[in-house]
């Protein structure tokens, strides 16, 4: 455990009041004590504990109530698709139960290596307003499985929902005799703001930062090791072979675009469509529930989504398409599930003329046409990621394995979903092998420490135990240096090793 940061200086720098300082210090002391007790528990007892914690939050009745409370507090989000996030908690539990976190977790006999799992200590986690229940539940399961304690800093907009989620998990800990202070949340004594979150991150041993880029930057500047996420702007490619099953391609995008009213970082924001299927693709998107915006409607929509400096306006985040239309001053049929922008797209800049390739964070999709060879689709993806979303994800609806391989070889992203709904697949699904998570790393492309889905092994320290070989594992100099080997330069030998 680090414990390396000078908190007195940090508290003064952040101008915390005494209530904020006391709450952090008291929560940390309780967490530290609970973690040191819990790290002695057996694997069987730990697995029973995470089952209890997961069940008490993710059962259908309770999660329904949490979703209702969260939407009531935040005033955005879709209750139906958000309730499905309880399956993400089930998936995280499934993944945890299949792995070890106590003692020996891996052996590599041919290298005489044995790996032992160790806890990291006390984790700090910031909760976004978009996931006030899923984020604390998923991170708690991973943290407890790895024998850590975790302290959450909630979003002020959804404080009640996150507090209720943590209180439930503490009850889940109590009913198996585990220390309830393994899971805590700030905000009972002190006012929650950016400064108290920053101080918590500095105090703890590890940070899991899921949220906007401001949260991520503060995590990395805290002086504490951190796993954080990058911006979304998920984009799909439909090449000419998508014609084989355009209905499924469109249905996948509809599912991805409408999930929690498009608020997730993996919700399809752009589709790059080959010219040969362009017209049929647009018709299929309308068939599955899309509403094609007219040029006038699209311009009105642009004005309620972004200001003249391309800043996303918060009042139209995560709204139904009907409410989006209302905000822009027109009406659409009640059966429409998402909006489609197709006028003036195909421009990939940070400025207003390229605005339709930016991240949307709502039930609006932009479509862009590419012509000719598949390399032009790849170039379009690269251009979009230069505007936003680099490191995060790209999807492809294609039956051409060469196209899939070419995209995967060069795309600057941590994950590529093939013929899947990205918002249902990027962070793990019962239908793919991606690790279940609520935190998607975007690699050095986006300034993150990892490009992986943040999952169990990121919550652990690993001790490698190595035993000596019977014979040295040498390659001859001729093999090592290849064509550059010069025997004349190797005649002088100072030592045998």
């Amino acid at each position: 455990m680090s414990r390396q940061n000078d908190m007195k200086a940090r508290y003064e720098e952040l101008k915390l009041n005494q209530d904020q300082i006391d709450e952090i210090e008291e929560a940390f002391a309780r967490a530290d004590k609970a973690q040191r007790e819990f790290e002695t528990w057996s694997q069987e007892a730990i697995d029973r504990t995470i089952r209890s914690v997961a069940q008490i939050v993710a059962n259908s009745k309770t999660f329904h109530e949490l979703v209702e409370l969260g939407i009531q507090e935040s005033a955005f989000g879709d209750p139906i698709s958000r309730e499905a996030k309880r399956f993400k908690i089930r998936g995280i539990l499934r993944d945890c139960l299949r792995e070890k976190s106590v003692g020996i977790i891996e052996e590599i006999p041919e290298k005489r290596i044995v790996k032992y799992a160790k806890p990291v200590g006390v984790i700090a986690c910031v909760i976004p307003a978009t996931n006030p229940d899923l984020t604390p539940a998923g991170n708690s399961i991973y943290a407890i499985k790895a024998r850590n304690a975790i302290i959450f800093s909630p979003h002020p907009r959804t404080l009640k929902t996150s507090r209720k989620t943590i209180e439930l998990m503490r009850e889940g800990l109590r009913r198996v005799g585990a220390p309830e202070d393994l899971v805590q949340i700030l905000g009972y004594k002190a006012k929650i703001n950016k400064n108290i979150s920053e101080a918590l991150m500095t105090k703890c041993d590890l940070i899991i930062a899921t949220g906007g880029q401001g949260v991520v930057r503060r995590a990395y500047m805290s002086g504490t090791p951190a796993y954080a996420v990058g911006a979304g702007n998920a984009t799909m490619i439909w090449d000419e072979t998508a014609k084989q099953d355009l209905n499924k391609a469109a249905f996948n995008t509809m599912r991805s675009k409408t999930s929690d009213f498009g608020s997730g970082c993996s919700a399809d924001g752009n589709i790059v469509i080959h010219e040969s299927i362009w017209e049929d693709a647009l018709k299929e998107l309308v068939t599955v529930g899309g509403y094609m915006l007219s040029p006038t409607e699209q311009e009105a929509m642009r004005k309620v989504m972004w200001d003249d400096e391309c800043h996303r306006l918060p009042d139209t985040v995560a709204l139904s398409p009907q409410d989006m239309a209302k905000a822009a001053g027109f009406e659409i049929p009640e059966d429409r599930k998402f909006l489609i922008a197709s006028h003036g797209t195909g421009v990939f800049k940070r400025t207003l003329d390229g605005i339709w390739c930016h991240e949307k964070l709502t039930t609006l999709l932009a479509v862009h046409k590419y012509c000719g060879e598949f390399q032009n689709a790849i170039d379009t993806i690269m251009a979009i990621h230069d505007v936003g979303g680099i490191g995060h994800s790209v999807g492809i609806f294609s039956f051409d394995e060469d196209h899939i391989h070419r995209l995967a070889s060069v795309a600057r992203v941590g994950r590529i979903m093939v013929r899947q709904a990205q918002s249902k697949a990027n962070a793990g699904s019962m239908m793919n092998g991606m690790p279940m998570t609520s935190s998607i790393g975007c690699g050095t492309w986006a300034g993150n420490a990892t490009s992986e889905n943040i999952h169990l092994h990121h919550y652990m320290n690993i001790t490698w135990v190595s035993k000596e070989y019977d014979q040295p594992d040498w390659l001859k100099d001729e093999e090592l240096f290849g064509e550059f080997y010069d025997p004349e330069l190797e005649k002088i030998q100072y030592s045998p090793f």
Side-chain angles (χ1 to χ4, degrees):
M1 303 177 196
S2 59
R3 310 291 198 269
Q4 294 172 4
N5 296 310
D6 180 355
M7 291 309 300
K8 185 176 185 296
R10 188 66 168 145
Y11 290 146
E12 291 175 356
E13 176 189 358
L14 293 170
K15 297 180 171 58
L16 264 61
N17 62 42
Q18 195 58 48
D19 282 345
Q20 291 174 316
I21 294 171
D22 289 347
E23 184 155 18
I24 290 173
E25 290 293 328
E26 290 165 10
F28 186 87
R30 292 194 302 270
D32 191 37
K33 180 181 178 182
Q35 187 275 321
R36 292 178 187 276
E37 175 187 338
F38 190 69
E39 71 178 349
T40 64
W41 282 39
S42 69
Q43 188 71 80
E44 182 182 10
I46 290 167
D47 288 350
R48 181 169 180 259
T49 301
I50 60 172
R51 281 188 163 110
S52 175
V53 168
Q55 184 277 333
I56 206 166
V57 171
N59 69 80
S60 298
K61 178 180 181 297
T62 300
F63 202 75
H64 171 80
E65 293 168 354
L66 290 171
V67 165
E68 283 193 328
L69 180 58
I71 291 176
Q72 178 186 338
E73 273 195 287
S74 65
F76 62 72
D78 171 40
I80 296 174
S81 54
R82 187 175 287 191
E83 282 193 31
K85 292 182 180 182
R86 71 185 186 276
F87 294 109
K88 183 72 67 180
I89 301 172
R90 286 165 161 78
I92 290 171
L93 177 63
R94 178 204 67 185
D95 289 357
C96 281
L97 292 172
R98 289 175 175 172
E99 295 191 50
K100 292 186 64 180
S101 60
V102 177
I104 296 172
I105 60 169
E106 185 182 1
E107 296 184 69
I108 311 174
E110 66 274 18
K111 292 189 175 183
R112 298 192 179 181
I113 294 289
V114 179
K115 299 180 184 180
Y116 289 75
K118 307 290 175 60
V120 300
V122 180
I123 297 173
C125 183
V126 179
I127 307 173
T130 51
N131 273 321
D133 35 34
L134 172 62
T135 295
N139 280 286
S140 292
I141 294 165
Y142 275 136
I144 295 166
K145 172 72 178 192
R147 296 180 289 164
N148 302 303
I150 187 164
I151 304 172
F152 293 96
S153 180
H155 194 288
R157 191 168 178 174
T158 49
L159 174 60
K160 292 179 182 177
T161 307
S162 294
R163 181 181 289 171
K164 178 64 176 175
T165 304
I166 272 67
E167 288 171 351
L168 285 165
M169 290 190 291
R170 285 169 66 87
E171 182 182 339
L173 290 165
R174 286 194 299 270
R175 70 182 181 181
V176 295
E180 63 183 314
D181 287 332
L182 289 172
V183 179
Q184 297 180 67
I185 187 169
L186 302 181
Y188 285 101
K189 182 177 182 179
K191 181 180 179 181
I192 294 298
N193 55 24
K194 292 178 181 178
N195 287 1
I196 194 173
S197 294
E198 286 190 50
L200 175 68
M201 290 191 287
T202 302
K203 178 72 176 179
C204 290
D205 300 298
L206 177 70
I207 302 166
I208 306 293
T210 302
Q213 291 309 292
V215 172
V216 171
R217 285 192 293 271
R218 289 192 293 274
Y220 283 129
M221 293 173 66
S222 68
T224 300
Y227 289 114
V229 301
N233 204 24
T235 298
M236 285 291 301
I237 294 175
W238 294 5
D239 70 5
E240 57 269 38
T241 70
K243 187 174 183 178
Q244 296 180 38
D245 201 349
L246 269 180
N247 182 259
K248 182 180 179 183
F251 182 75
N252 281 353
T253 284
M254 180 275 290
R255 291 181 67 215
S256 186
K257 184 75 270 181
T258 58
S259 179
D260 207 7
F261 287 158
S263 62
C265 55
S266 292
D268 289 0
N270 304 282
I271 314 180
V272 179
I273 304 172
H274 191 261
E275 59 181 335
S276 67
I277 62 169
W278 176 256
E279 295 298 336
D280 289 339
L282 297 190
K283 289 177 183 177
E284 207 62 57
L285 286 167
V286 172
T287 297
V288 298
Y291 178 85
M292 192 69 64
L293 294 167
S294 71
T296 303
E297 290 169 337
Q298 189 168 314
E299 178 57 18
M301 188 62 64
R302 194 278 299 169
K303 291 179 179 178
V304 298
M305 289 182 66
W306 292 279
D307 66 19
D308 290 341
E309 295 180 347
C310 301
H311 299 127
R312 186 66 173 87
L313 299 172
D315 289 347
T316 51
V317 170
L319 296 182
S320 71
Q322 287 74 26
D323 286 341
M324 290 291 294
K326 183 178 179 181
F330 60 93
E331 294 183 357
I332 65 171
E334 286 299 317
D335 68 342
R336 296 298 84 189
K337 299 175 181 177
F338 60 100
L339 307 171
I340 305 169
S342 63
H343 305 282
T345 61
V347 179
F348 312 112
K349 298 179 181 179
R350 296 180 186 273
T351 50
L352 275 180
D353 55 341
I355 200 67
W356 296 107
C357 75
H358 290 224
E359 187 175 26
K360 318 300 189 298
L361 296 172
T362 193
T363 48
L364 184 141
L365 171 75
V367 289
H368 313 272
K369 184 191 294 186
Y370 82 94
C371 302
E373 215 279 318
F374 185 69
Q375 183 60 44
N376 295 323
I378 293 176
D379 291 345
T380 298
I381 292 295
M382 295 295 198
I384 290 173
H385 284 157
D386 282 340
V387 172
I390 192 169
H392 195 280
S393 61
V394 63
I396 180 168
F397 202 97
S398 172
F399 295 90
D400 186 323
E401 290 298 324
D402 180 61
H403 284 183
I404 296 167
H405 170 70
R406 287 169 61 189
L407 177 65
S409 297
V410 298
R412 297 167 296 177
V413 295
R415 53 211 54 79
I416 295 177
M417 298 298 110
V418 178
R419 301 191 299 275
Q420 298 179 70
Q422 288 194 88
S423 71
K424 305 294 184 183
N426 274 338
S429 160
M430 298 300 181
M431 291 297 293
N432 69 24
M434 297 293 292
M436 289 281 188
T437 189
S438 59
S439 302
I440 291 180
C442 297
T444 57
W445 297 297
N448 295 168
T450 181
S451 60
E452 295 184 311
N453 288 6
I454 309 301
H455 60 287
L456 184 59
H457 78 235
H458 297 101
Y459 293 71
M460 298 190 294
N461 287 319
I462 307 295
T463 298
W464 291 44
V465 176
S466 169
K467 294 184 179 178
E468 192 174 49
Y469 292 157
D470 295 330
Q471 299 291 333
D473 183 14
W474 281 108
L475 283 179
K476 294 180 179 179
D477 285 350
E478 300 93 310
E479 298 173 285
L480 285 170
F481 300 137
E483 64 182 290
F484 305 103
Y485 172 64
D486 185 343
E488 291 300 315
L489 298 178
E490 304 300 334
K491 287 182 177 179
I492 299 175
Q493 294 289 328
Y494 295 99
S495 72
F497 299 106

